[in-house]
Amino acid sequence: MINYIWAFIIIASILYSFVTGNYKIINNEILISSKTCIDLILKLFPMIALWNGIVTIANKSGLLNKFALLISPILSKLFKNIPKESNAIGYIASNIAVNMFGLGSAATPLGLKAMKELQKYNKNKDEASDEMITFLVLNTIGITLIPTTVISLRLSNGSSDASCIVLTSILSTFISAIFGLLLDYHFRKKRK
Amino acid sequence: MIIPLLVLFIIIYGIIKKVNVYDTFVDGAKEGVEMGLSLFPYILGMILATNILLKSGLLDAMLELLAPIFNFFHFPKELFPLAFIRSISGSASISTLNMILSTYGADSFIGKVASTMQGSTDTTIYIITLYFGSIGIKKTRHALKAGLFADLISIIASVIMVKLLL
């Protein structure tokens, strides 16, 4: 799907610029996009590396695991049909914990393991189970404690209070989580 | 306040648990550098697409058509590009956010809402594709609907939260 969207955006924009006659701007834009990209990467780079370093300490000291244990009782309530002995809840909890601290690279493998585990309890193997969808909703909501990428972009764009958006982000995530889970619950009920 | 506290806590906890904190930090940072580098081609591809979309005037023309809807909901139309792209691609939304912050200012209302939007949701379509693809699920049922609905709520909530709190 991303292939089509990417191609569509480029084709439509270039055609549009021919129609309106400002293709010169597009010409420049294509030529300088690699420079724009380098600038952007340079803005993000230091913070990604720094935060990854800090969170790796939290990971190695077992802090993230502790945190995962803390949230797993709540998760057990959301995933009632998954047996206690399964590793699924553990993987889901770790995935969310790691995501909260912004260690995206470690979150994905855990998420994939969780999906694999959930697939074991799925009756229809090519159709998503209720639990999988709930997990995906939790995941796409993007529960993040510190949005490091955003903070570094704000810093490099001259913000005087770059981390002021931490609280608003957490609250807005929380609200969307509630609504997302409610809609998920509604769909589940409707099916039964 | 939250960042210094968190860093302090993580490091103290690490020392208590006898982790070689400095070595571990360096290892993690190294991995972060590789991660940053591996982002380059993705961000490049998306910068190409989003920049010509914005500069060609095509997006403005589309926005003009949708303006009555935005006005009805009091939704700032400057935020539409990010709202549109956020669920589709992480790299594209990073580059769009950067453009919004440099155009309107990081500390402007628009800049703060855009930052909150970016910070409060993840790339729904990418995650659904990746996670379901990995275990061969073809029928995704209401996953996309629920995910995109949550994204929409977080966009609206971002505007409200920034209005109320910042």
Side-chain angles (χ1 to χ4, degrees):
Chain A
M1 178 147 139
I2 196 77
N3 289 307
Y4 291 114
I5 294 172
W6 191 74
F8 173 78
I9 290 177
I10 291 181
I11 294 168
S13 306
I14 293 180
L15 289 180
Y16 186 80
S17 76
F18 284 145
V19 174
T20 56
N22 65 352
Y23 47 84
K24 272 210 178 108
I25 299 175
I26 300 300
N27 185 37
N28 287 339
E29 211 51 53
I30 292 173
L31 295 176
I32 64 166
S33 50
S34 48
K35 190 188 171 295
T36 318
C37 182
I38 284 280
D39 290 344
L40 185 58
I41 293 279
L42 284 180
K43 284 179 187 174
L44 295 175
F45 223 117
M47 190 77 164
I48 292 179
L50 180 114
W51 194 250
N52 220 61
I54 298 282
V55 182
T56 307
I57 298 176
N59 202 9
K60 212 166 180 189
S61 64
L63 192 62
L64 290 187
N65 273 336
K66 270 251 163 68
F67 193 73
L69 280 180
L70 208 70
I71 54 175
S72 49
I74 309 165
L75 292 171
S76 305
K77 289 216 168 66
L78 283 172
F79 299 91
K80 272 184 197 145
N81 297 330
I82 299 297
K84 285 255 158 25
E85 67 271 16
S86 159
N87 289 326
I89 302 286
Y91 286 137
I92 293 171
S94 315
N95 169 276
I96 291 174
V98 171
N99 254 330
M100 279 181 93
F101 286 89
L103 204 63
S105 62
T108 308
L110 286 166
L112 294 177
K113 274 185 198 156
M115 287 303 271
K116 218 173 183 176
E117 200 63 30
L118 290 176
Q119 179 74 315
K120 284 186 192 160
Y121 304 98
N122 187 8
K123 288 180 199 100
N124 197 344
K125 297 292 179 202
D126 67 346
E127 190 178 273
S129 68
D130 286 346
E131 286 74 21
M132 288 177 184
I133 297 177
T134 307
F135 173 50
L136 276 174
V137 170
L138 282 178
N139 215 295
T140 60
I141 285 163
I143 308 170
T144 311
L145 220 47
I146 315 280
T148 39
T149 321
V150 178
I151 293 175
S152 53
L153 273 187
R154 292 175 57 75
L155 271 177
S156 60
N157 280 294
S159 171
S160 59
D161 188 5
S163 52
C164 72
I165 49 89
V166 170
L167 183 66
T168 53
S169 298
I170 292 174
L171 289 173
S172 140
T173 307
F174 187 67
I175 293 169
S176 73
I178 291 173
F179 279 93
L181 290 174
L182 279 177
L183 186 74
D184 175 43
Y185 183 74
H186 165 77
F187 275 119
R188 275 196 197 197
K189 283 271 142 149
K190 214 166 94 182
R191 197 165 144 101
K192 277 168 194 156
Chain B
M1 206 35 197
I2 182 166
I3 296 177
L5 279 178
L6 201 59
V7 171
L8 185 72
F9 184 65
I10 288 174
I11 292 178
I12 290 177
Y13 191 85
I15 289 174
I16 293 172
K17 292 284 166 184
K18 301 203 167 52
V19 173
N20 294 326
V21 283
Y22 177 68
D23 294 334
T24 310
F25 173 82
V26 172
D27 282 344
K30 216 181 272 171
E31 199 191 286
V33 170
E34 283 158 22
M35 219 159 68
L37 265 186
S38 67
L39 277 176
F40 184 84
Y42 298 97
I43 294 191
L44 179 61
M46 285 306 167
I47 280 188
L48 179 66
T50 50
N51 278 18
I52 64 174
L53 175 67
L54 296 170
K55 292 280 161 67
S56 68
L58 178 62
L59 195 72
D60 288 333
M62 280 160 59
L63 285 179
E64 226 28 70
L65 292 174
L66 295 170
I69 304 173
F70 294 127
N71 292 339
F72 184 78
F73 289 105
H74 298 284
F75 185 79
K77 71 172 180 164
E78 296 88 339
L79 293 168
F80 178 75
L82 186 62
F84 169 71
I85 248 151
R86 183 67 190 101
S87 321
I88 301 170
S89 157
S91 316
S93 55
I94 287 175
S95 108
T96 312
L97 175 66
N98 187 43
M99 197 173 251
I100 289 178
L101 293 182
S102 62
T103 312
Y104 302 102
D107 292 329
S108 66
F109 174 70
I110 298 291
K112 282 176 182 163
V113 178
S115 307
T116 305
M117 270 164 64
Q118 175 78 17
S120 64
T121 171
D122 212 325
T123 317
T124 301
I125 292 175
Y126 170 75
I127 292 177
I128 288 183
T129 314
L130 179 73
Y131 280 18
F132 279 147
S134 75
I135 50 167
I137 296 281
K138 301 226 163 52
K139 292 177 202 135
T140 59
R141 291 172 55 206
H142 59 272
L144 189 62
K145 262 186 238 166
L148 289 180
F149 176 72
D151 288 349
L152 181 70
I153 296 293
S154 99
I155 289 168
I156 298 167
S158 301
V159 180
I160 297 171
M161 286 303 148
V162 172
K163 266 196 181 147
L164 286 179
L165 297 172
L166 297 179

